[in-house]
Amino acid sequence: MNTLHPFLNHPSYPLPLPMAHRGYSARFPENTMAAFSAAISLGYKYLETDVHATSDGKLVAFHDTHLERVTNGQGVIEDLTWNELKKLKVKGTETIPLLEDILTTWPSVCVLIDPKEDSAVKPLYGVLSRLDVWDRVCVGSFSDQRIAWIRKEAGAKLCTSMSPKEIRKLRFRSWGLPLKGFGAQCVQAPVKQKWIPILDRSFINTAHNLGFPVHAWTINDVVTMEKLLDLNIDAIMTDEAETLKAVFKSRNIWND
């Protein structure tokens, strides 16, 4: 059985945990201080964000590789300096924040961080080391290589979720194959990946039997929220922060 990392040992544990995906992104520009502030005002204590590195090594909270979808700028983030990026507007109103701004503005809030490019991993390790926020963060990624690198550098002080390879291995283990070798502290996964179901009872139970909490992303409808809670999911990430809060409150599991 794994020792629970401080990031996972939240105040309402073992009750499930609500997490705000890119802040309250259904109503506010995603990955902005406004979206994060709105989620925190609702009572969320756990946020999710994505990060990219600028050409001069600053780490910004932003999902896309390119700027066009949500800003008035153009181009690739890692080709631009922080001085150039900070002048842009997200959805015409909000600025792009630094990861450091999020971690220092709300020092009691925990943050799940997804480095979206290889260039973001070393700056991410640098920020986490400099701020000494190991107990407050968890790193997840769609890249096996990024997860492996930051685990090697940070060791047990950093909470990481399972890499794609580990999730596949856990899926097969839940179907009866005795696969081993997991370096994570938790699992973060969608309900299904393409045609393969992931978050079903056998997968969640297998993870729990191995000592891994299971977090679901990104769930925005009440029916799926309720179904996952019935399956004893450990956390739900959502864009719809008020909707998830209402579901938790209806079950008397919301922790104010």
Side-chain angles (χ1 to χ4, degrees):
M1 187 66 67
N2 295 325
T3 300
L4 203 63
H5 188 276
F7 176 90
L8 302 167
N9 194 15
H10 54 90
S12 57
Y13 182 83
L15 293 177
L17 178 67
M19 303 178 78
H21 182 252
R22 306 180 198 170
Y24 190 175
S25 55
R27 289 193 59 187
F28 297 85
E30 65 181 54
N31 280 328
T32 64
M33 298 299 273
F36 298 129
S37 179
I40 292 166
S41 294
L42 285 173
Y44 280 77
K45 300 173 179 66
Y46 280 67
L47 307 173
E48 186 273 349
T49 192
D50 315 282
V51 292
H52 287 268
T54 65
S55 63
D56 51 347
K58 296 292 186 180
L59 208 61
V60 296
F62 202 84
H63 177 269
D64 298 2
T65 300
H66 292 77
L67 292 162
E68 286 81 355
R69 181 177 66 89
V70 296
T71 79
N72 60 334
Q74 293 183 331
V76 176
I77 288 179
E78 65 180 18
D79 291 339
L80 301 173
T81 66
W82 167 235
N83 191 54
E84 291 171 314
L85 283 176
K86 69 183 181 182
K87 298 172 184 176
L88 302 179
K89 294 292 185 181
V90 181
K91 295 299 184 181
T93 59
E94 304 298 324
T95 56
I96 300 171
L98 293 168
L99 175 64
E100 183 171 344
D101 292 339
I102 300 164
L103 292 169
T104 57
T105 299
W106 298 289
S108 63
V109 168
C110 293
V111 185
L112 168 64
I113 305 165
D114 180 0
K116 304 305 287 187
E117 300 288 343
D118 293 348
S119 59
V121 182
K122 287 184 180 180
L124 174 57
Y125 177 74
V127 169
L128 301 184
S129 298
R130 180 163 48 82
L131 297 181
D132 192 21
V133 289
W134 304 107
D135 288 355
R136 295 173 48 208
V137 301
C138 180
V139 174
S141 176
F142 292 103
S143 165
D144 297 301
Q145 292 75 23
R146 288 173 216 151
I147 287 290
W149 187 91
I150 202 162
R151 280 180 187 165
K152 181 180 178 181
E153 294 299 313
K157 63 183 177 239
L158 175 65
C159 178
T160 61
S161 63
M162 285 193 183
S163 66
K165 182 178 180 180
E166 289 173 315
I167 290 175
R168 290 192 295 271
K169 193 184 297 185
L170 184 63
R171 175 74 281 185
F172 285 120
R173 181 169 178 132
S174 74
W175 290 335
L177 295 177
L179 301 179
K180 300 179 181 179
F182 302 100
Q185 286 75 35
C186 63
V187 185
Q188 291 162 347
V191 171
K192 61 182 178 179
Q193 189 75 48
K194 297 182 179 179
W195 56 271
I196 301 173
I198 304 295
L199 297 182
D200 57 19
R201 189 175 299 279
S202 66
F203 182 91
I204 294 171
N205 287 349
T206 300
H208 286 169
N209 288 339
L210 293 170
F212 297 113
V214 183
H215 304 167
W217 56 263
T218 302
I219 312 301
N220 292 326
D221 67 284
V222 171
V223 171
T224 308
M225 292 172 184
E226 297 279 11
K227 179 181 177 180
L228 288 167
L229 290 170
D230 289 341
L231 292 175
N232 295 320
I233 200 77
D234 298 284
I236 294 176
M237 280 175 254
T238 188
D239 303 315
E240 297 284 355
E242 290 184 82
T243 300
L244 184 61
K245 179 177 180 177
V247 169
F248 271 56
K249 288 184 77 71
S250 73
R251 291 180 174 238
N252 294 316
I253 57 174
W254 181 263
N255 181 24
D256 289 316

